[in-house]
């Protein structure tokens, strides 16, 4: 099992529509939202490219937003962690 851990930008929440779209995906097993982190559990990854889109809603106006992190790791071997950052590009 693979986990994608997405830290949300300060002042943002994931929309219910986004959750619904992700859950309709074929490899998404489960989604958990805890505080400002979204955990997306996948059955497995393969060589095919996958795209996941999270729609966020800004609920609090914040200044000087810092990039948030996305972590991807194997549930059973979290030592092989991949980390990148995002700054909320898009509308």
């Amino acid at each position: 099992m693979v986990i994608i851990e997405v830290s949300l930008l300060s002042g943002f929440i994931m929309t219910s529509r986004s959750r619904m779209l992700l859950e309709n995906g074929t490899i998404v097993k489960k989604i958990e939202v805890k505080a400002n982190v979204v955990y997306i559990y996948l059955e497995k990854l393969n060589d095919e490219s996958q795209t996941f889109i999270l729609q966020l809603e800004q609920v609090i106006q914040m200044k000087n937003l810092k990039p948030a992190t996305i972590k991807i790791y194997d549930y059973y071997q979290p030592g092989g962690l991949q980390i990148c950052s995002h700054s909320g590009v898009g509308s």
Side-chain angles (χ1 to χ4, degrees):
M1 181 181 320
V2 176
I3 299 175
I4 301 173
E5 182 179 318
V6 181
S7 297
L8 299 179
L9 296 166
S10 297
F12 286 80
I13 60 170
M14 184 176 77
T15 65
S16 57
R17 182 170 187 257
S18 181
R19 182 182 190 116
M20 184 178 61
L21 291 171
L22 284 172
E23 288 176 337
N24 285 335
T26 57
I27 64 170
V28 174
K29 184 174 182 177
K30 177 171 100 170
I31 298 171
E32 288 182 350
V33 179
K34 295 183 180 178
N36 63 340
V37 181
V38 176
Y39 298 91
I40 303 169
Y41 294 82
L42 309 176
E43 288 289 334
K44 60 182 176 178
L45 288 180
N46 54 31
D47 294 338
E48 293 180 31
S49 176
Q50 298 288 329
T51 301
F52 300 95
I53 298 172
L54 275 79
Q55 294 180 340
L56 305 179
E57 178 182 346
Q58 188 171 16
V59 292
I60 300 172
Q61 186 69 31
M62 304 292 289
K63 291 184 179 182
N64 301 322
L65 284 176
K66 305 292 185 232
T69 59
I70 300 172
K71 300 176 185 175
I72 303 171
Y73 53 91
D74 186 319
Y75 179 82
Y76 301 104
Q77 297 177 338
L81 182 66
Q82 298 291 320
I83 301 175
C84 63
S85 64
H86 67 93
S87 58
V89 177
S91 56

